[in-house]
Amino acid sequence: MSNLKLCQGPECHTYTTKDRLKGSKDNKTYQTRRRSSFYYGNHNFCDQRCLYDWVNKYIEQGLDHFGRTTEAKHLTEENAWDKRYDWRGGSDDRTDIYYFVNTITNERRPLTEAQFRDSSYTLNTGE
Ligand SMILES: [Zn+2]
């Protein structure tokens, strides 16, 4: 029928905004928001409040399920590569520059735009 997605916020229907009030004249109820797309929480929530309602309700289960951080992680030269983007130049000669910078050694290495946009492309070898 429709391609509308429902907000995954567990309390979405309890927020009494006009746009949530749906139904026929004498049978109106506040309902979970439906939209073709959402912005928050990887496109699952209509707003930050609904996202945080979900987080507050499920965060402990999530951490128990996926594993808690039990030891401090360490940033080392091997995993300190960060993608950066410099926009410079005037309106007539725009030059987009993509590069890696190692946030510990400050070494810079060039990147192509495709490599910059490829979220799986990294120089990091550690965690
Ligand atoms: Zn919502």
Side-chain angles (χ1 to χ4, degrees):
M1 258 178 58
S2 79
N3 290 325
L4 297 181
K5 296 169 70 171
L6 287 164
C7 172
Q8 296 302 301
E11 307 298 329
C12 192
H13 63 290
T14 68
Y15 302 125
T16 55
T17 58
K18 273 186 185 170
D19 70 298
R20 288 180 171 97
L21 192 57
K22 305 271 183 188
S24 56
K25 234 180 184 177
D26 47 356
N27 192 24
K28 284 192 187 298
T29 56
Y30 289 100
Q31 300 179 14
T32 301
R33 275 181 171 153
R34 280 169 239 249
R35 289 189 189 152
S36 55
S37 69
F38 292 116
Y39 178 78
Y40 296 92
N42 206 20
H43 310 288
N44 287 299
F45 300 92
C46 71
D47 59 22
Q48 274 197 346
R49 177 165 58 177
C50 282
L51 168 59
Y52 281 103
D53 285 344
W54 190 94
V55 169
N56 288 331
K57 187 169 183 180
Y58 296 113
I59 191 166
E60 295 300 324
Q61 287 169 257
L63 288 170
D64 287 340
H65 181 78
F66 295 106
R68 290 173 187 268
T69 299
T70 55
E71 289 174 24
K73 296 177 181 178
H74 299 259
L75 184 68
T76 62
E77 288 181 31
E78 289 69 38
N79 60 9
W81 293 101
D82 192 29
K83 286 179 182 176
R84 300 281 169 86
Y85 167 89
D86 266 353
W87 180 87
R88 58 183 189 187
S91 56
D92 292 331
D93 61 338
R94 288 185 175 177
T95 309
D96 298 328
I97 299 179
Y98 303 93
Y99 59 95
F100 273 117
V101 64
N102 189 298
T103 58
I104 291 187
T105 64
N106 289 320
E107 182 186 346
R108 284 171 71 140
R109 293 190 191 169
L111 264 176
T112 67
E113 182 175 351
Q115 290 167 334
F116 179 83
R117 300 201 183 286
D118 178 356
S119 60
S120 65
Y121 184 78
T122 181
L123 296 178
N124 292 323
T125 54
E127 234 183 76

